[in-house]
Structure formats: structure tokens, C-alpha cells
Amino acid sequence: MIPTALFIAAALISSPDGVLGDFDGSRFAWYSSDAANKFENALPIGNGRLGAMVFGGNTEKVVLNENSMWSGPWQDRVNKNARGAVDDVWKKLLAGSITAAGQSAMSNLAGDPTSPRAYQPVVNLVADFGHSSLGTNYTRWLDTYEGTTGVSYTLDGVTYTREYIASYPHGVLAFRFSSSMPGKLGVKLSLSREKSVTAQTASAARSGSSATSVVSLNANSGQSSGAINFWSEARIANAGGTVTSDGKTVSVTGANTVDVFFDAETSYRYSDVSQAQTELKRKLDTAVTAGFVTVRAAAIQDFTNLISRTKLDLGSSGSAGTLPIPTRLSNFRKNPDADPQLVTLMFNFGRHALVSSSRDTGPRSLPANLQGLWNQDYSPPWQSKYTININLEMNYWPALITNLAETQKPVWDLLAMATPRAQAVAKAMYNCEGIVLHHNTDLWGDAAPVDKGTPYTIWPMGAAWLSHDMMEHYHFTLNTTFLRTTAFPTLVQTARFFFCHLREWNGYWTVGPSLSPEHAFLVPSGTSLTQANKAEGLDMSIEMDNQLLRQLFSNILTACAALLSTDTTCSLAATYLPKIRPPGISSRTGRIMEWRTDYPEQEPAHRHFSPLFGLYPAAQLTPSVNATLSGAAKRLVDHRMSSGSGSTGWSRAWAVGLYARLGEGDTAYKHVQEFTKKYPTGNLFGSDGGTGTAFQIDGNFGLTAGLAEMMVQSHGGNGRVHLLPAMPGKWTKGRVEGLVARGGSGKGEVNVDGKVYKGPVETVKGTKYEVRAKLA
Ligand SMILES: *[C@@H]1O[C@H](CO)[C@@H](O)[C@H](O)[C@H]1NC(C)=O
Ligand SMILES: *[C@@H]1O[C@H](CO)[C@@H](O)[C@H](O)[C@H]1NC(C)=O
Ligand SMILES: *[C@@H]1O[C@H](CO)[C@@H](O)[C@H](O)[C@H]1NC(C)=O
């Protein structure tokens, strides 16, 4: 089959080989100490379903996750007063009673209970080596190329090594503990969990047999009925030594190596206990029979097949790049230009995290949540849900442009799960056909409004944004089967909701009640039943909503044309599209207006760039599409940033993409460096506000995507590919390979400096980088 994407290699300038120490500073994060029992220092691996956080202490702790272990069953949270309430709120908004509208919405439309389910850990693996210290030459590393992590140290003349693998092909995690001298390895292994354990057993293999020892722990989410159950098991295969068990732990003494294979399965994916247990046994039997060396080789081959598609070199840091991560992070804060390889490592870390946390693992695969799939808390920040007013979407921004399109499959699975819920909520709350999602969902596809506040709860736009991500998947892959069977039906379902729900206001089709995600405005004086200057969130004809609607209806027209569809949705979308209110530009500030009226904003430094959805990730406000609008968009992002936005990791990462779209490479790179100074925790995870604040993986993904957007752009639907559209002056040497542009076919041609490159483009060098790719 011909590759359907246009692969681009763009020389940034020259390409000297990096100075490599023991650990290539663009590929490895390494440490000379353990995680000191801090989750934010532990190192993450995963196979798209199982996740492991490796702490590396003298007693090893590995926090283990399975991405379908959440706090409970499906819940119907639709507010019992909802029917008719939407009309009442709309009338209040129309009458200018903003505060009263918000109060009515909170009483009659907010979900009950207000929150969907929370993501939960499964178990910890504890491996006690009987070592009172970590000896000398302690080294801990994460390999972002192979997707593996490890620990090594020397104690009493023996070097102990621990290797940790997450295998997508075998569906298990596999760990090898070894000693440099025979018979020197002892370890006591157990699984532990603080809550709701239903069974815990361990047994030693009979001496002399080839059987493995087993520790297992089963638990549930704590409800008396409908609980999510999981079954977890570690199989232990030792070379040399003797094995005993006390019924809860397995102890190995005098061994050369000890291999551990781990799986957990939950009731989310299996209709009964025996099916889940059969699958657990099947995976572990297969992995144990294959053995650690084979499992490791297959896992690494699979991982590197994906990772190696894209290569980035931003120049060498010399010896600065060979230092341990805590030193590099601290040096970077003082002199960011001295370690460009740390930026390359952050780019690679984002791709490592995406491949590790989101794969097609079969039916009901689940996407990366707010923490990817790494979580040790029973009450994680924001329940570690799928927040769909930016965060879940941002998780997948690097997927297409950095050539990892298949990592999006779990998002489509979640949308399939959500569809019947979203239809039920559309009917119950809005009396409409089609689908509606609000600003968060969980593993059940919960579609009801979430939390209780006028700036965030009543936002019926989740499906509009997610269906756009499906369309983008089509633009990058040109997979018409996907367009026909997955994207188009979702676009149609989403549009059917809006054909019913939209109301005419000032001659435009308008969403109301709605809000601009998480941002409040100050109510103008003179509005009835309101208190002037009171902060409110609820309104109608929100700028972001209009951009999402315009995107939805134009995506439908594109899909209809590509599929030669005569569905009535096609002609309806054509009539709705011209009646979406165009962006307003403030006569006071010259900026894109966030709301229908030029309300004063509550937080000039607000973290969400919702009215700039159309600048990035969408392309309604980009310079090549409309210079007037992009000028107004630039004034808004400049205003936000100079007021102090970029105040969370993901917000700072979004700024990178916005400035990349504006062609401002120096500013984009400034925010890349600001992100890298402030937001990575010890293990490079993105955080809400720096070390010690909540972990959120979206910032990592947004940063990787923003860097890619500085190097290749292909938005605007005009067939253009821009190579190196936002180069910072600080990038004086480097190379990128394997980024992907929209609409490619492998038969395109790229014209640089008047020279035409045909076929899959290998290398393009030139000074005039704006190019037109003529696609077959
Ligand atoms: C220290 O550990 C590293 C990484 O495992 C290894 O390459 C190196 O040889 C070790 N050095 C000594 C002195 O043991
Ligand atoms: C195209 O999409 C279909 C439906 O989602 C999927 O089954 C198929 O694997 C995709 N083809 C490729 C080449 O990815
Ligand atoms: C750009 O957008 C403005 C404001 O919506 C509009 O008036 C103008 O016609 C647009 N220009 C083009 C070339 O589409």
C-alpha cells in the first residue's frame, strides 16, 4: 500500500553529530539518585493499557495502573429538573438577566451528582532486596527511544541491575532483576493496595520445577453493586536460588536473575469473572513461556517502530547534555540556551508518553487521561478524567503531525462508548436528537454536565471539538474507510444535535446557554436582575462555540464531498454555515472578542485560549486564511501573555502552537524555554504550576506538538505545506525528519526556491520555505 501521508524531512541547517556521553542527552533522562518516594520523580513506562511508575529505591516500589480501573459504575447524572430548563435559561439570557440565568442553570441543569467517576491505581509492586543502601554508582534512566527504564548500583562489590519493560505485543509488563555475580540476588516480592482488596495470595514454585511463583491481588472500586473489579498477578521466574512463600509474598534467595511478568485485567472489558481471568492467564502464560529476553525484544521492536518515524536534532549541548536531569533542569533555568538537547528530550518525552499511554489495545481501548495512565491516588486531581474543553484534545495534538496516528484509536473507542449516553443526555436535557457532551467525560462516556459553576458546567460543545479531531485524522491519513465508518457518522450525530438546539439570535444560529471555557466576564451595569461587575460565566453566542460550529459544518461539507454523500445533513450544513456569527473584533482593543459583547474579562491572564481555537489547533484565524482576523487573534494572545497567561503547563504549551501559527518562531521558542524552565517535574512530566503542583500530561503533549508546528504546517485546507514556518533565531543547526503534513499521498511535490521535489520528499534545503505541495 502506498503511504498516505506526505513525509517531510527538512534540514534546519547543518547536522553535526551530537556529543554523546554514556547517555545521549536527547534520548535519555538519567539520575544519580532514586525518586525519594516522590511520584513526580518516578519514571513512567506503559503499553497503552498498563502503566508503571518506577521509583528505584533500595526497596523498589512500582506504582501499577490499568487504564480501565476507575472508581465505579456508570451513573445517570442528568438533573431531574432539566426538561424545559434550557428554554427558561435562554429566555433569561435573552432578557439580559445574566445572573438569574446562571442561577437557574446551576439549579436545574448541573449534573447530580456533579462529578463523573475518578481514575484509580491498581496495585503497587514492592520488591525488597534486603539492601540497606543503594551503594555506589547509582544510575537510574528512562530511554525515550525504547520506552524502557532501569536502575543500576554497586553494593559490596556486586552490581545490581533492574530493567523494566512495557510490552504492547505481549500485553504485559516485564521486569528483570539481576546481579553481576552468581547467587547474590535476593528479593521479597509482594503486591499491595490500601483499599478494597478482595483476595491476596502468593505461592512459591515447587523447587526444581520450571513453574513460576505467583503473587496475586484482586480488588474492586468499593461499591456494593456494580463495582469495577480487577484481577492482578505477577509471575516470578528465577534463575538460580531458592523460593519460598508465606502466602502473601514470594521470597527468592541466592539467585542470579529474577524475572517478573505482570498483568491486571478489569471487569470493564469482560462480561464475567472467568473471561477476565482467562485473559489474565493467557497473557501471562504466553509471556512466561516466551521468556524475558523475547518479551523485551518484541516490546522494544514494537515501540521503536513507532518512535523512530520522527527524528529531531536541535544541535548538541556538549557536556551540558550529559548531566543528570535534576542538574540539567536547574542549569536550564539559569541558561536555557546552553542545553538545546533538553528541548529535544522534552519533544521525545512527549512522544514516549503518548505511545506508552495510548494504543489500540482491542475493544474498549481507552485514551490518555489527564495523567496519561499514571496515577497513584484514589482521589487524583480533577479525578484524572477526560477533560474535553481542551485537555483530552491537547493530548492528541502531537499524534498526527509526529506520525503516531494510530495512538488516536482509543479516542474513537471512547466516543463510541459515549454515543448512547450522549444521545440520552441530548434527549433528556435538550429534547434533541443527536449527541451532546459537556466539558468532561469518564470511561463510561458520561455526557451530563460536570461540576457546578457558571464558567464551566453548561458547555454543550464537547462532541463538536472531538468530531473535528476525527476530521483531522482523515486529513492526515486520507483513510476514507475511517471517514465513512467513523468520522462522518459522528459529525452527523453532532450536527443533528445542533440543528435542533441552535436558536436564531440577531440573524445568526446561536448556542445558548453556553460559556467560554472556564473564563468569567464582568456583568455590565444596567442588565436587569444582575449585579453590575459580578463575575458570571453563562451566556450565548460564545466566540469559541461559533468557531466550533463553523468547523463542524465545514467539516461536514468536506466529508460529504469526499464521500459523495447525499445525506440530508450535507445540504442542511450548507444552509447553517453562512449563518454562524463571524468573529467580532473589539473596537476598544482590536482583539478577537471572547463573548458576544465586549464584556470586561475577569482574568486578563486566563489560561484558556478558547477564542483562539481558530488560530490553533483549527485554522480559521491563521495569517494565510485571513490577515484581519489573525491580526486580532495576535492582539488577544499578546494581551493574554503580557498579562501573565501561560500560567499552567498546558496553557504555556498552547501558546507555543499559537505563536507557531503566527509565524513568530522567536516568541514560540521563548515559550518552549519558559515551559521547560518551570513546568517539568523531576521525571519531566508536565505540571499545573511546577514541581509540587498537580501533574497533568497535556502540557507534555502540547509542547511536543507546538515544536512540530514550528517546523511544518499544512493547515488552511489549501493544500499548502509550509516547511520551517516559525524558525527561532536561536536554532542555528539541526535537523528534523518524519513529520507529517495533511493531505499527502506520497505523490506530492514540494517546491522550494523554484526547485521542484517530486515523490516522497526526502530532504529539502532552501531559504524560501513557504512551499506549495501539489497533491495527487
Ligand atoms: C556505573 O554505572 C554505569 C551505568 O550502569 C556503567 O556504565 C559504569 O560502568 C559504572 N561505573 C562503575 C565505576 O562501576
Ligand atoms: C482505516 O480506517 C479503518 C476504520 O477505522 C481501519 O480499520 C483501518 O485500519 C484504517 N487503515 C489504515 C491503513 O490505517
Ligand atoms: C476576513 O475576516 C473579516 C472579519 O470576519 C471579513 O470581514 C473579511 O471579509 C475576511 N476576509 C477574507 C479575505 O475572507
Side-chain angles (χ1 to χ4, degrees):
M1 189 170 175
I2 344 165
T4 53
L6 176 65
F7 294 86
I8 289 172
L12 301 184
I13 291 181
S14 67
S15 175
D17 286 329
V19 178
L20 305 184
D22 285 343
F23 291 114
D24 173 350
S26 302
R27 165 174 165 178
F28 290 91
W30 80 271
Y31 302 79
S32 56
S33 58
D34 71 359
N37 211 27
K38 288 206 170 90
F39 187 79
E40 65 182 36
N41 292 333
L43 297 178
I45 59 170
N47 68 1
R49 185 179 63 86
L50 299 167
M53 288 291 280
V54 179
F55 284 64
N58 48 348
T59 292
E60 178 63 274
K61 175 168 90 174
V62 184
V63 172
L64 295 162
N65 289 101
E66 204 279 355
N67 64 3
S68 61
M69 186 58 205
W70 290 60
S71 63
W74 157 251
Q75 28 178 10
D76 178 358
R77 300 188 303 100
V78 171
N79 192 310
K80 301 292 171 287
N81 305 330
R83 186 55 72 86
V86 171
D87 281 339
D88 174 63
V89 175
W90 169 263
K91 281 181 194 136
K92 288 186 164 70
L93 289 172
L94 212 52
S97 306
I98 304 257
T99 300
Q103 284 165 350
S104 169
M106 291 309 98
S107 307
N108 302 318
L109 293 174
D112 177 22
T114 55
S115 187
R117 297 302 185 183
Y119 184 49
Q120 308 252 286
V122 287
V123 293
N124 290 348
L125 175 83
V126 180
D128 183 351
F129 297 93
H131 294 166
S132 55
S133 86
L134 288 163
T136 56
N137 195 27
Y138 179 89
T139 314
R140 187 165 65 100
W141 65 90
L142 177 76
D143 184 345
T144 61
Y145 187 76
E146 292 192 344
T148 60
T149 178
V151 172
S152 149
Y153 54 97
T154 303
L155 185 65
D156 300 331
V158 181
T159 298
Y160 295 93
T161 305
R162 309 176 196 162
E163 298 170 77
Y164 303 84
I165 311 294
S167 171
Y168 174 74
H170 284 91
V172 300
L173 303 173
F175 313 143
R176 168 163 281 190
F177 307 134
S178 54
S179 63
S180 61
M181 286 163 66
K184 289 291 186 187
L185 181 68
V187 61
K188 185 174 170 183
L189 287 150
S190 59
L191 296 176
S192 73
R193 191 177 209 261
E194 283 168 30
K195 293 190 178 185
S196 306
V197 175
T198 53
Q200 189 172 6
T201 62
S203 61
R206 275 172 294 115
S207 140
S209 85
S210 63
T212 48
S213 307
V214 176
V215 293
S216 77
L217 190 152
N218 305 338
N220 65 34
S221 55
Q223 285 78 14
S224 52
S225 70
I228 296 183
N229 291 282
F230 75 81
W231 300 270
S232 70
E233 188 169 306
R235 301 268 186 94
I236 298 142
N238 56 301
T242 54
V243 197
T244 55
S245 173
D246 63 5
K248 292 227 164 145
T249 64
V250 162
S251 296
V252 185
T253 53
N256 312 328
T257 64
V258 172
D259 297 335
V260 178
F261 302 88
F262 176 84
D263 186 28
E265 302 287 338
T266 80
S267 53
Y268 179 70
R269 296 193 176 94
Y270 302 96
S271 53
D272 64 40
V273 179
S274 78
Q275 273 186 8
Q277 290 180 335
T278 301
E279 182 59 15
L280 181 89
K281 183 172 179 326
R282 185 192 69 78
K283 286 197 181 106
L284 287 171
D285 285 351
T286 309
V288 168
T289 304
F292 181 81
V293 171
T294 301
V295 170
R296 174 177 57 193
I300 291 173
Q301 185 182 31
D302 166 76
F303 199 88
T304 55
N305 273 346
L306 296 174
I307 291 294
S308 64
R309 293 172 184 170
T310 296
K311 295 187 185 69
L312 177 63
D313 172 6
L314 295 176
S316 169
S317 308
S319 57
T322 66
L323 299 168
I325 287 296
T327 313
R328 288 176 76 184
L329 286 172
S330 139
N331 289 347
F332 195 92
R333 282 175 210 122
K334 288 169 242 152
N335 182 7
D337 297 331
D339 192 358
Q341 279 184 274
L342 186 58
V343 173
T344 310
L345 179 62
M346 291 304 295
F347 176 86
N348 291 333
F349 183 86
R351 295 182 79 243
H352 161 79
L354 184 59
V355 173
S356 302
S357 64
S358 188
R359 296 294 296 274
D360 177 6
T361 53
R364 296 192 172 189
S365 66
L366 284 166
N369 61 46
L370 283 175
Q371 297 189 181
L373 46 49
W374 299 282
N375 168 42
Q376 67 172 355
D377 298 321
Y378 292 89
S379 293
W382 304 285
Q383 294 80 42
S384 197
K385 296 187 295 277
Y386 305 108
T387 302
I388 56 177
N389 66 7
I390 173 65
N391 315 88
L392 178 68
E393 290 88 351
M394 185 179 282
N395 283 0
Y396 290 88
W397 286 355
L400 296 165
I401 192 169
T402 83
N403 207 353
L404 299 172
E406 57 272 77
T407 61
Q408 291 186 302
K409 164 68 161 48
V411 184
W412 320 149
D413 278 3
L414 182 63
L415 269 169
M417 170 66 77
T419 294
R421 321 287 190 200
Q423 285 168 333
V425 170
K427 198 85 206 148
M429 285 185 62
Y430 299 91
N431 197 22
C432 285
E433 303 293 313
I435 59 174
V436 65
L437 292 168
H438 294 84
H439 87 297
N440 277 272
T441 188
D442 64 9
L443 79 167
W444 303 108
D446 188 314
V450 174
D451 301 337
K452 201 168 185 175
T454 61
Y456 37 86
T457 298
I458 309 302
W459 186 72
M461 305 307 292
W465 195 336
L466 289 169
S467 65
H468 175 57
D469 289 355
M470 287 185 162
M471 199 64 195
E472 287 282 54
H473 183 88
Y474 167 70
H475 282 307
F476 276 88
T477 62
L478 299 184
N479 182 339
T480 42
T481 308
F482 173 80
L483 182 65
R484 186 180 317 106
T485 61
T486 308
F488 191 59
T490 305
L491 289 162
V492 167
Q493 285 285 316
T494 306
R496 286 183 70 181
F497 170 75
F498 288 110
F499 294 149
C500 163
H501 176 57
L502 293 180
R503 297 161 201 259
E504 268 192 287
W505 173 76
N506 275 6
Y508 295 114
W509 287 120
T510 298
V511 182
S514 190
L515 51 91
S516 192
E518 307 189 23
H519 198 187
F521 53 88
L522 301 177
V523 176
S525 51
T527 315
S528 64
L529 299 177
T530 63
Q531 188 185 331
N533 300 322
K534 190 174 188 302
E536 287 291 353
L538 210 67
D539 199 26
M540 63 162 82
S541 194
I542 306 292
E543 176 54 31
M544 185 197 209
D545 291 0
N546 292 327
Q547 292 176 17
L548 285 165
L549 289 174
R550 197 175 298 112
Q551 199 65 52
L552 171 67
F553 296 134
S554 59
N555 285 344
I556 285 173
L557 296 183
T558 307
C560 291
L563 296 172
L564 306 174
S565 173
T566 54
D567 193 293
T568 52
T569 308
C570 303
S571 47
L572 268 176
T575 67
Y576 274 73
L577 185 57
K579 284 186 69 182
I580 304 303
R581 183 170 69 75
I585 299 178
S586 163
S587 56
R588 185 172 54 94
T589 63
R591 300 172 205 142
I592 298 283
M593 274 162 48
E594 185 157 4
W595 296 278
R596 62 180 161 140
T597 301
D598 199 6
Y599 299 132
E601 55 198 348
Q602 189 190 28
E603 292 177 64
H606 199 262
R607 60 197 175 276
H608 285 253
F609 297 101
S610 306
L612 300 175
F613 164 79
L615 177 58
Y616 180 76
Q620 300 171 22
L621 309 177
T622 57
S624 63
V625 169
N626 187 313
T628 307
L629 294 175
S630 76
K634 174 177 159 48
R635 281 187 283 278
L636 179 55
V637 64
D638 283 349
H639 158 72
R640 282 283 176 82
M641 296 314 289
S642 65
S643 305
S645 185
S647 55
T648 62
W650 60 263
S651 174
R652 184 68 62 165
W654 195 349
V656 176
L658 292 168
Y659 280 108
R661 282 288 172 88
L662 291 169
E664 297 190 22
D666 287 332
T667 312
Y669 195 55
K670 183 180 94 179
H671 296 305
V672 169
Q673 292 191 326
E674 290 303 314
F675 180 100
T676 310
K677 282 181 186 175
K678 181 166 178 186
Y679 297 104
T681 54
N683 59 5
L684 304 182
F685 271 163
S687 62
D688 206 43
T691 291
T693 65
F695 156 44
Q696 257 183 260
I697 196 79
D698 42 16
N700 292 103
F701 295 137
L703 187 76
T704 296
L707 279 160
E709 202 68 26
M710 291 166 69
M711 296 179 272
V712 174
Q713 291 180 25
S714 60
H715 54 80
N718 53 11
R720 274 187 179 177
V721 178
H722 302 226
L723 295 185
L724 313 182
M727 286 292 98
K730 285 177 175 177
W731 284 357
T732 54
K733 54 191 167 209
R735 187 180 167 77
V736 64
E737 275 180 54
L739 296 178
V740 181
R742 284 171 188 76
S745 68
K747 292 181 199 155
E749 57 180 52
V750 176
N751 180 324
V752 181
D753 292 343
K755 188 167 176 206
V756 174
Y757 298 80
K758 285 188 192 266
V761 179
E762 292 279 320
T763 304
V764 176
K765 288 185 186 170
T767 51
K768 184 170 164 265
Y769 294 117
E770 182 161 316
V771 297
R772 180 176 284 271
K774 197 172 153 230
L775 302 162

